[in-house]
Amino acid sequence: MPRTLLDQKQRETFKKKIKYNLLDSDYERHTRSGTLSASHLSLNFCLNMSVKVSPVTEPVWLGEGPHWSQQHQALFFVSIFDRSVHKYDPATGKCTSSKLEDMPGFLIPVEGKKDQFVVGLKRKVVVIQWDGRDGTAKVVRTVAELDKHTPDNRINDAKADPKGRLFVGTMGHEYEPGKFHLKKGSLYRVDPDGQAHRVVKDVDISNGLCWDEREKAFYYADSFEYAIRRYDWNPDTGDISNPRLVFKYADHGLDGIVDGMTIDTDGNLWVANFDGSQVIKIDPKAGKLLQKVPTPALQTTSATFGGSNLDILYVTTACMNRGVEQKPPCGCTFQVTGLNVRGHPNVSVKLL
């Protein structure tokens, strides 16, 4: 079918208004060849025509670990360097927080325990009691201590697999913002009895973590690998095996690193592109980049689906000054609507 080329005015409007809604490789190819076509416009622009990105919280230093709780109908997340846990209630628009004694890497409800959450506190996995009000969180017990061989490490990200087993990632010491001791991190599986099993070692920064239960697949990222790994996942034992790279940033001209991610009911991944000001949608089975959703924060850190229909993508960000001030709304948590996809319910942690 022949292309219908846009006229000059349309092309200029196209470039000014929707450049960042296009896949970069497509945009550059078409601008080099001068074939910005109406068919290409309709194919790519329509993906983001209905998308709306809005801040729902005030900025924090390093927002991470978003978890939508079906029970609370609220979003929980952490601010690592602020040493705080946060709750956002979309019904009221209110956000509450509570300080902890050290840096939290994640916050996930404990299955069957009212107002109890598993938290990664520096290198320890602990349980806190928190009723969601300002300043009321307190540690009630320690479940496990990780990376005893590298005491300067910290926990960075964690999630429960579809069976409620906790997977926790660590990273090397961050001696100044954005600079780390490399190959010091690991990935652990923490079983309900508190036994910790190291399942991946020699990691720079543990990130990602999501599962496709139908495919028996586990997706994971070591951020400085600039890629996403797929493991075979055994739902009966929780074991992971046979790692391979299914998506490489370099193959798609992407800047920045892989940060947190989530998965939709179609099996596509939604990946926070840290230092890329966006969340990307990828098909991990085909290794394809399907969509880019720009965010008004360079340091986009993680994402999860929430809301009563699980059709809102909540995105955490950071505002770390690594030589350039990151002004608001950097550091806010955003809600992304109009994606026309749904996620899976976030899973609580099973503990004995």
Side-chain angles (χ1 to χ4, degrees), residues 64-69 71-72 75-78 85-86 104-113 115-120 125-130 155 157-161 164-169 209 211 345-351:
E64 264 284 10
H67 179 101
W68 175 262
S69 169
Q71 177 186 354
H72 297 88
L75 182 76
F76 293 88
F77 63 98
V78 302
V85 292
H86 297 254
F106 67 91
L107 173 73
I108 304 173
V110 178
E111 183 180 289
K113 299 289 185 179
D115 296 334
Q116 287 197 1
F117 300 82
V118 182
V119 175
V125 177
V126 304
V127 174
I128 68 167
Q129 188 82 32
W130 187 34
I155 290 168
D157 204 355
K159 285 180 185 172
D161 77 3
R165 306 179 191 94
L166 181 65
F167 280 69
V168 186
L209 285 74
W211 289 259
N346 288 172
V347 181
S348 297
V349 175
K350 289 183 178 179
L351 289 178

Side-chain angles (χ1 to χ4, degrees), residues 138-332:
K138 61 179 182 179
V139 175
V140 296
R141 70 181 177 107
T142 297
V143 176
E145 184 175 357
L146 309 178
D147 281 0
K148 294 179 181 180
H149 58 289
T150 48
D152 288 336
N153 280 13
R154 71 167 172 85
I155 290 168
N156 187 62
D157 204 355
K159 285 180 185 172
D161 77 3
K163 303 298 182 181
R165 306 179 191 94
L166 181 65
F167 280 69
V168 186
T170 65
M171 58 180 282
H173 176 57
E174 189 169 5
Y175 50 90
E176 59 182 82
K179 295 184 179 180
F180 317 89
H181 291 153
L182 302 179
K183 302 302 178 189
K184 298 292 186 180
S186 299
L187 179 68
Y188 293 86
R189 187 187 75 241
V190 180
D191 290 335
D193 61 2
Q195 292 294 312
H197 309 271
R198 186 160 68 155
V199 294
V200 181
K201 61 181 181 178
D202 299 326
V203 174
D204 290 327
I205 307 177
S206 278
N207 259 313
L209 285 74
C210 59
W211 289 259
D212 187 325
E213 193 167 10
R214 288 174 299 187
E215 297 288 331
K216 296 182 179 179
F218 167 61
Y219 296 104
Y220 173 72
D222 180 352
S223 289
F224 286 167
E225 195 171 46
Y226 307 99
I228 295 170
R229 301 181 193 174
R230 181 200 189 276
Y231 290 79
D232 296 334
W233 169 70
N234 186 320
D236 297 322
T237 64
D239 291 340
I240 59 173
S241 59
N242 192 25
R244 59 270 199 196
L245 298 182
V246 295
F247 186 88
K248 298 179 182 179
Y249 268 31
D251 291 345
H252 303 275
L254 293 170
D255 296 322
I257 62 174
V258 183
D259 212 316
M261 70 177 89
T262 190
I263 188 168
D264 65 27
T265 55
D266 296 321
N268 295 316
L269 305 181
W270 295 81
V271 183
N273 184 186
F274 187 93
D275 277 346
S277 302
Q278 63 187 352
V279 175
I280 58 174
K281 176 185 180 182
I282 72 168
D283 177 350
K285 293 184 282 294
K288 290 183 177 180
L289 176 58
L290 302 178
Q291 187 177 356
K292 291 182 175 184
V293 179
T295 63
L298 177 69
Q299 301 163 0
T300 304
T301 58
S302 194
T304 195
F305 285 99
S308 58
N309 295 317
L310 298 174
D311 58 354
I312 299 171
L313 187 69
Y314 287 101
V315 180
T316 52
T317 69
C319 59
M320 295 184 291
N321 187 331
R322 298 171 296 160
V324 178
E325 184 181 2
Q326 303 296 309
K327 297 180 180 180
C330 296
C332 293

Side-chain angles (χ1 to χ4, degrees), residues 12-73:
E12 290 303 316
T13 303
F14 177 75
K15 287 188 284 185
K16 288 177 182 177
K17 290 188 175 180
I18 65 169
K19 174 180 176 182
Y20 298 106
N21 290 337
L22 285 170
L23 305 184
D24 285 348
S25 57
D26 290 340
Y27 177 79
E28 294 193 5
R29 184 174 70 251
H30 285 286
T31 52
R32 283 197 303 268
S33 63
T35 57
L36 289 170
S37 68
S39 60
H40 187 268
L41 170 61
S42 62
L43 176 64
N44 292 282
F45 179 53
C46 286
L47 291 174
N48 282 344
M49 278 186 65
S50 62
V51 174
K52 183 179 180 181
V53 181
S54 308
V56 295
T57 71
E58 294 297 315
V60 297
W61 194 349
L62 176 52
E64 264 284 10
H67 179 101
W68 175 262
S69 169
Q70 291 288 90
Q71 177 186 354
H72 297 88
Q73 285 295 293

